[in-house]
Amino acid sequence: MIRQAEERDVAEILRIYAAARAFMRASGNLMQWSGSYPSEEIVRRDIADHVSWVLENERGHLYAVFALIPGDDPTYAYIEGGAWRDTSPYATIHRAAGDGTVRSVFRTLLDFARMRYDHLRADTHADNIPMQNAFLENGFAYCGIIYLASGDPRRAYKWTKENTDD
């Protein structure tokens, strides 16, 4: 089941993010989500903004979280080494993470997002090979490099309903 995250979920969301950071490090992705990113402040802001979603099993165990944010993302205004192939309104998938207890988390959250939006964008660190593969395996196209507010580069991807056979 996917539902909007609530304040009572903050500790579990932080646990999921800690598990995802550990997986990234074990997979050779040493730079993405450094420190305690996403922070408790970010988690609480996503909940307050109603953009945070959690996946839970039938026993109420939270095993994944993501932010699905409609509207223009300021970090996507400039793209290097490519182009956005579609300028229609979109939603962005950010901070997607699972705790490792359930497989196919990305496909599940993607199905949810695709039911709500016909155009999705996302980005990831160059060292996050598992996420890059997940994007490509699920119909996303690589578009180029975007830069976070910090100046850090990220590989950017997009999916549109018109360009898929799903």
Side-chain angles (χ1 to χ4, degrees):
M1 176 174 94
I2 298 178
R3 64 170 174 79
Q4 278 202 306
E6 301 172 0
E7 279 291 321
R8 66 184 169 96
D9 300 322
V10 170
E12 283 298 291
I13 291 170
L14 292 172
R15 177 191 60 79
I16 292 166
Y17 283 141
R21 281 191 298 275
F23 174 79
M24 286 182 193
R25 302 308 169 260
S27 301
N29 182 357
L30 306 178
M31 301 305 293
Q32 189 175 7
W33 289 10
S34 60
S36 62
Y37 183 88
S39 67
E40 183 173 340
E41 177 184 344
I42 290 169
V43 169
R44 289 184 186 280
R45 186 177 60 233
D46 283 351
I47 291 170
D49 290 346
H50 305 288
V51 298
S52 183
W53 298 87
V54 292
L55 287 73
E56 70 180 344
N57 66 19
E58 60 281 349
R59 295 179 311 280
H61 171 74
L62 300 188
Y63 61 88
V65 62
F66 65 102
L68 183 60
I69 306 170
D72 291 344
D73 185 318
T75 62
Y76 291 177
Y78 171 76
I79 189 164
E80 183 177 277
W84 294 114
R85 298 176 186 136
D86 188 311
T87 58
S88 65
Y90 63 91
T92 306
I93 298 170
H94 279 305
R95 296 180 281 286
D99 68 5
T101 62
V102 175
R103 300 193 54 80
S104 300
V105 166
F106 185 71
R107 182 60 193 207
T108 301
L109 74 84
L110 188 56
D111 289 346
F112 177 86
R114 285 176 172 169
M115 288 188 313
R116 284 156 179 75
Y117 300 98
D118 292 340
H119 182 182
L120 299 170
R121 291 183 182 178
D123 62 84
T124 195
H125 193 280
D127 292 341
N128 195 341
I129 303 304
M131 185 56 82
Q132 291 175 51
N133 290 337
F135 288 143
L136 296 174
E137 290 166 5
N138 286 285
F140 280 73
Y142 173 73
C143 294
I145 303 293
I146 60 101
Y147 292 88
L148 304 179
S150 66
D152 292 340
R154 293 292 183 266
R155 296 177 59 85
Y157 297 81
K158 69 97 185 167
W159 170 88
T160 54
K161 188 174 190 175
E162 305 83 52
N163 295 333
T164 186
D165 293 327
D166 287 350

